[in-house]
Amino acid sequence: GNADGVAFIKVTEGGAPLWDSPSFTVPAGLTVNTNLHQTITQALGLHSLMAELREGSPPLGSRVIMADTVALTVVSNPVLAPVGLPTIGGQVGPTLITIVRGNAISITWACQNSGGGSGQARLRTVANPLTAGQLDQVGPLVNIPGFSTVTLILTLSTGFLAGSFTYQVVLTMEDSGGNILGTHSFGVSTI
């Protein structure tokens, strides 16, 4: 058109209004891209939302310029937590393990997601004294679907460890944001 216009976005569910954006001006003869974000709190489950671009100002506006239906599944956030104690070198929750130098140390620890949304977690070890990376390891992030339990796995090499010495290791389970979900300390002695 040859005059400025005003428009807004209206979101409804089953005809009931959920959200109206602030109105924005569309200058004459131009196209305006909008990038509006709004959190809409809904109950868990499947929702069918209608998004309408309307001419005018909220709450009613006049004619609908464009409309689209969006199917939205609402789930709860992931809630990650370790299950029990880790299994280290075949032992559940040891404080000290003795291993033949050069043998690998297998670590497993189950992570439970009691939330509906998918989350990620991994295992990490840090040793003292520093061991040239042999006992300092970061496992891969593993996807943990909602309402499920997944066992995380990490393998440590002992090939370059000094014999007859005990290394102190801190094992952590962490989420994708680096938040620590659980810790377990143990010693590694090599023969």
Side-chain angles (χ1 to χ4, degrees), residues 44-80:
L44 297 176
L46 182 63
H47 298 270
S48 180
L49 305 181
M50 174 66 73
E52 299 173 337
L53 179 60
R54 289 183 159 264
E55 189 174 32
S57 296
L60 299 176
S62 57
R63 72 181 180 91
V64 175
I65 300 169
M66 176 179 256
D68 197 7
T69 302
V70 178
L72 179 69
T73 302
V74 179
V75 298
S76 63
N77 291 327
V79 180
L80 303 176

Side-chain angles (χ1 to χ4, degrees), residues 25-63:
T25 300
V26 181
L30 295 178
T31 299
V32 174
N33 290 321
T34 60
N35 188 13
L36 302 170
H37 297 278
Q38 177 65 32
T39 300
I40 299 173
T41 303
Q42 294 290 90
L44 297 176
L46 182 63
H47 298 270
S48 180
L49 305 181
M50 174 66 73
E52 299 173 337
L53 179 60
R54 289 183 159 264
E55 189 174 32
S57 296
L60 299 176
S62 57
R63 72 181 180 91

Side-chain angles (χ1 to χ4, degrees), residues 2-175:
N2 55 11
D4 291 351
V6 175
F8 72 101
I9 295 173
K10 180 179 221 46
V11 178
T12 62
E13 181 177 20
L18 293 178
W19 176 69
D20 290 335
S21 78
S23 59
F24 50 91
T25 300
V26 181
L30 295 178
T31 299
V32 174
N33 290 321
T34 60
N35 188 13
L36 302 170
H37 297 278
Q38 177 65 32
T39 300
I40 299 173
T41 303
Q42 294 290 90
L44 297 176
L46 182 63
H47 298 270
S48 180
L49 305 181
M50 174 66 73
E52 299 173 337
L53 179 60
R54 289 183 159 264
E55 189 174 32
S57 296
L60 299 176
S62 57
R63 72 181 180 91
V64 175
I65 300 169
M66 176 179 256
D68 197 7
T69 302
V70 178
L72 179 69
T73 302
V74 179
V75 298
S76 63
N77 291 327
V79 180
L80 303 176
V83 177
L85 294 171
T87 299
I88 303 167
Q91 302 174 43
V92 177
T95 56
L96 176 66
I97 63 168
T98 302
I99 192 162
V100 174
R101 189 170 70 89
N103 288 353
I105 302 170
S106 175
I107 301 173
T108 61
W109 202 355
C111 182
Q112 180 183 48
N113 182 355
S114 59
S118 183
Q120 291 183 319
R122 68 173 156 214
L123 298 178
R124 177 188 301 263
T125 55
V126 176
N128 187 17
L130 297 178
T131 58
Q134 295 301 300
L135 297 179
D136 292 341
Q137 296 292 324
V138 179
L141 282 171
V142 176
N143 191 49
I144 305 175
F147 306 113
S148 68
T149 300
V150 174
T151 299
L152 306 177
I153 300 170
L154 187 64
T155 302
L156 305 180
S157 172
T158 64
F160 293 103
L161 300 182
S164 302
F165 188 84
T166 300
Y167 297 86
Q168 297 303 313
V169 180
V170 176
L171 168 67
T172 59
M173 180 187 292
E174 63 185 32
D175 67 12

